[in-house]
Amino acid sequence: MTGVAAALPVISRAERFTRVGSTNDIVRGWLAAGEPEVCLAVADEQTAGRGRHGRTWTAPPGSALLASLGFRPSWLAPDHAWRLAACVALAMCDAAEAVAALPTGAVRLKWPNDLVIEVAGPDAIELRKLAGVLGESEGLGSDDPRVVVGIGINADWAADDFPAELAGSMTSLQEASGGLAIDRDALLAAFTERLEGRVEALRGGAFDIATWAGRQATTGRWVTIDDDPIAVRALGVDAASGGLLVADTGDPARERIVHAGEVRRVRLAPGV
């Protein structure tokens, strides 16, 4: 594999593929066969890429960085397994800003699993999807826990080539940087370098809660959850469960936690 990913101590196995169905499936198979953590599969194209709740993830060959990482987190409490996906997301935020010459904080997190860029819309701030993260787990709480975290980030993809049906809701590093050519190998190297420190910290019991919470794009804004037309105010994120903290609709002075497994999507309320 080109780049430094395979040479990093945190990476036990790294392979690059021209075309696969799903990098998550590749890594899941490796873990099932006994591969130690952290294993990494990267693809130039996926034919069966997926997001949460069976959604599809598609990108033209060579336009996105598509990667999945496999973990055996026996060292992590089962109810903190979500922090692996959070570490992957934070590492990519930092890497994307560095490679695309974006200011720190330009890449935000939209709970529960998107990386976004804020843009000024005609009536309000809009969130354009830059990347998606998909975490899948097996055997949490057993003696053989396995977690696969996949991430797909739109990298060297020109806005003129965005699918018409998604052009108003997505972006890429090339677009966000004002047309800078994005080297996917450089992005991969920057990502794995930053991921190593975050994974080692997590193994030692430390999770960067402040940065994870600080990058959340929904905090302080009104959002809608799934098909509920009633907007609620997002107050932040819960460091223990990874859930979204929102004001209770019956009593705005109280908060409640919305868990990722309970919802399909969260959106900014219209006009916010």
Side-chain angles (χ1 to χ4, degrees):
M1 171 175 286
T2 56
V4 301
L8 291 175
V10 74
I11 304 294
S12 65
R13 175 179 182 178
E15 290 191 32
R16 187 172 211 142
F17 302 87
T18 300
R19 192 169 187 258
V20 298
S22 163
T23 53
N24 266 33
D25 291 344
I26 295 288
V27 169
R28 182 182 299 102
W30 289 350
L31 291 176
E35 189 69 37
E37 65 173 32
V38 178
C39 47
L40 167 68
V42 181
D44 296 326
E45 181 185 9
Q46 290 186 123
T47 60
R50 60 185 180 272
R52 295 177 72 243
H53 300 290
R55 300 188 189 103
T56 59
W57 175 273
T58 59
S63 65
L65 175 59
L66 309 169
S68 295
L69 300 114
F71 300 89
R72 295 183 177 279
S74 57
W75 41 269
L76 186 63
D79 59 351
H80 284 172
W82 63 269
R83 293 182 174 181
L84 289 167
C87 286
V88 168
L90 288 173
M92 187 59 80
C93 286
D94 292 340
E97 289 169 353
V99 172
L102 298 173
T104 300
V107 180
R108 310 294 302 279
L109 301 176
K110 184 174 83 67
W111 189 92
N113 71 316
D114 290 341
L115 277 63
V116 298
I117 299 286
E118 294 185 350
V119 299
D123 301 312
I125 293 294
E126 297 177 356
L127 303 180
R128 299 288 177 87
K129 184 170 179 175
L130 176 68
V133 179
L134 177 64
E136 298 175 314
S137 63
E138 296 178 79
L140 294 182
S142 74
D143 59 0
D144 185 23
R146 308 172 201 166
V147 174
V148 178
V149 181
I151 185 165
I153 179 167
N154 301 326
D156 205 33
W157 193 349
D160 289 345
D161 297 328
F162 291 171
E165 68 275 16
L166 299 175
S169 62
M170 65 175 285
T171 190
S172 68
L173 288 180
Q174 183 186 120
E175 175 69 9
S177 66
L180 187 69
I182 305 300
D183 184 325
R184 288 181 303 133
D185 282 342
L187 180 59
L188 175 62
F191 165 65
T192 53
E193 287 170 0
R194 287 159 175 79
L195 181 66
E196 181 176 27
R198 292 192 178 279
V199 170
E200 289 304 321
L202 195 60
R203 281 176 175 157
F207 173 63
D208 190 359
I209 293 172
T211 301
W212 177 69
R215 282 198 184 263
Q216 299 293 329
T218 51
T219 299
R221 289 174 163 152
W222 291 88
V223 300
T224 58
I225 299 174
D226 290 338
D227 297 323
D228 191 340
I230 300 176
V232 294
R233 191 169 184 83
L235 305 175
V237 281
D238 179 51
S241 68
L244 179 69
L245 293 171
V246 300
D248 192 295
T249 52
D251 182 1
R254 299 181 60 185
E255 18 178 90
R256 61 186 176 92
I257 301 175
V258 178
H259 297 283
E262 301 170 348
V263 303
R264 293 180 62 86
R265 60 170 53 91
V266 174
R267 296 173 173 169
L268 294 187
V272 176

